[in-house]
Amino acid sequence: MRHQVVLIPGDGIGPEICRAMRRVLDAAGAPIEWEERIAGAAAVERYGTPLPEEVIDRIRERRVALKGPLTTPVGTGHTSANVALRQALDLYACVRPTRTLPGVPSRFGAVDLVIVRENTEGLYSGIEHEVVPGVVESLKIVSERACVRISEFAFQYAVACGRRRVTAVHKANIMKKSDGLFLRCARRVAERYPQIEYDEVIVDACCMRLVMQPERFDVLLTDNLYGDIVSDLAAGLVGGLGVVPGANLGSDCAVFEAVHGSAPDIAGRGIANPIATLWSASMMLDFLGEAAAAAALMAAIEAVTAEGKTLTPDLGGKAGTREVVDAVLGRLNP
Ligand code: NAI
């Protein structure tokens, strides 16, 4: 049986790394039928919208997608197609495993944590308006339903993946109602999982502890904004954005994508690190029930990083995207 997967190459380095990922999966014989669709800046040019309705419909039908990053203009222009996609498909859980790969230079030896981020509401609800000239209001929407289901997800994930602790990240000392609700829900859910330790940390203290003792953390349960920020911080602990994968999961659909953005500063130069997207593809294979193929791909990636000869410039190497892909393929099909 072949799996039907929607592929959104995206903007900036997106097409390069998605091509690279596809080359690896196709050469490895992964049973996937790709259906390519355009979103992001390219879609704005062609269809006048960054997220054509048809793209959402195709993912709804196929249920699984792998996407490259989509560019969002800063402070002006169209709203984020990434956020819109997650909301439209109710991809409520964003899962970002952040682990030191062998051979990848980083400040810490053995980081191994997972960020579980609420993906549909909070300050990313996108509800903003100008109250009077010079004063704007941005609403942070927090619902009990969303807090409970993301907490449930984090604990279930911890149990399923053999993790020992869930840490809720919050700012309930200041945002007593919104983050207060988030914490109350997390505590309620935690009571049902006595086998998993539960603790809480204020988001600013969390950032400090992450850069001092990252090994202290296991599963981080966060809202939408804190999760976004802490994800990049955590990426910095393990070698950067080129090596952190992600999944956006809902009850009906799943969209896999690296944590990084479209990296306009290196787009088109053939030096983007494909590992984050390859690892996201491995997560997707696992999700599709292709556990052996997923594990083989991860083993090949780790063999290449451990050897340390074929690394892209973000990891201190001199290799291009293509050479990394060739090296991974060499390990997969020796
Ligand atoms: P970015 O993640 O694109 O880049 C930050 C830095 O990391 C840059 O120096 C870049 O060269 C480097 N980098 C990122 N991915 C890399 C890779 N695979 N290999 C080597 N180096 C890599 O973040 P930035 O510059 O803040 O955002 C650029 C655009 O991407 C924005 O329009 C932003 O909205 C969008 N974005 C999209 C995301 C998505 O589609 N999920 C996520 C984050 C940002």
Side-chain angles (χ1 to χ4, degrees):
M1 185 195 127
R2 292 178 75 77
H3 307 279
Q4 316 268 326
V5 174
V6 176
L7 177 64
I8 302 172
D11 301 317
I13 59 170
E16 304 164 42
I17 49 172
C18 284
R19 238 185 345 260
M21 177 282 304
R22 193 170 163 172
R23 218 184 117 215
V24 172
L25 265 63
D26 289 351
I32 290 179
E33 215 132 279
W34 301 102
E35 181 179 326
E36 233 175 271
R37 285 290 179 272
I38 293 178
V44 174
E45 265 176 42
R46 201 182 291 186
Y47 306 110
T49 166
L51 188 60
E53 201 55 44
E54 198 239 348
V55 175
I56 300 172
D57 289 343
R58 295 312 281 168
I59 301 176
R60 249 191 218 116
E61 270 171 43
R62 303 289 185 224
R63 301 168 80 105
V64 179
L66 195 145
K67 74 175 266 299
L70 307 180
T71 296
T72 311
V74 176
T76 172
H78 66 77
T79 53
S80 166
N82 296 309
V83 173
L85 185 66
R86 293 163 192 163
Q87 288 172 346
L89 296 172
D90 201 22
L91 302 168
Y92 67 90
C94 179
V95 181
R96 294 172 159 180
T98 308
R99 174 163 68 80
T100 318
L101 290 175
V104 169
S106 64
R107 284 178 205 279
F108 298 94
V111 177
D112 181 10
L113 55 88
V114 181
I115 292 163
V116 174
R117 161 188 174 193
E118 203 293 321
N119 224 8
T120 59
E121 54 177 40
L123 267 172
Y124 286 20
S125 307
I127 307 172
E128 293 189 315
H129 64 274
E130 190 170 57
V131 184
V132 292
V135 181
V136 295
E137 195 170 51
S138 188
L139 298 184
K140 173 164 171 163
I141 305 295
V142 180
S143 70
E144 183 172 350
R145 174 177 171 268
C147 294
V148 168
R149 74 178 175 170
I150 194 64
S151 302
E152 278 287 354
F153 183 97
F155 279 93
Q156 279 172 14
Y157 179 94
V159 171
C161 299
R163 297 271 166 179
R164 64 183 196 292
R165 187 194 302 129
V166 171
T167 303
V169 181
H170 67 94
K171 192 76 189 175
N173 49 333
I174 306 297
M175 280 166 281
K176 294 178 195 292
K177 288 215 181 297
S178 53
D179 285 19
L181 175 59
F182 178 79
L183 274 191
R184 277 200 307 283
C185 294
R187 285 173 194 165
R188 220 165 69 209
V189 172
E191 280 172 16
R192 294 208 303 277
Y193 294 86
Q195 72 274 45
I196 304 290
E197 283 174 46
Y198 170 74
D199 62 359
E200 299 166 354
V201 62
I202 292 176
V203 62
D204 33 1
C206 175
C207 292
M208 183 200 67
R209 284 196 210 155
L210 271 170
V211 296
M212 292 184 77
Q213 299 170 292
E215 66 285 349
R216 193 191 160 275
F217 291 100
D218 195 352
V219 176
L220 289 167
L221 165 62
T222 78
D223 84 344
N224 209 338
L225 175 68
Y226 309 147
D228 198 1
I229 296 168
V230 166
S231 294
D232 276 33
L233 190 159
L237 303 172
V238 296
L241 285 162
V243 289
V244 186
N248 302 288
L249 306 172
S251 312
D252 303 317
C253 303
V255 176
F256 295 82
E257 63 176 334
V259 171
H260 65 71
S262 53
D265 53 337
I266 56 165
R269 292 171 50 198
I271 55 166
N273 192 339
I275 289 179
T277 299
L278 286 173
W279 190 342
S280 306
S282 168
M283 290 171 75
M284 181 184 78
L285 287 170
D286 219 3
F287 179 86
L288 290 170
E290 305 289 344
L297 176 53
M298 264 332 280
I301 293 170
E302 293 191 34
V304 169
T305 59
E307 192 187 34
K309 285 207 298 219
T310 321
L311 300 177
T312 43
D314 56 307
L315 301 183
K318 289 195 168 73
T321 311
R322 170 168 273 279
E323 289 158 283
V324 176
V325 165
D326 288 343
V328 171
L329 279 174
R331 294 289 180 160
L332 270 173
N333 302 323

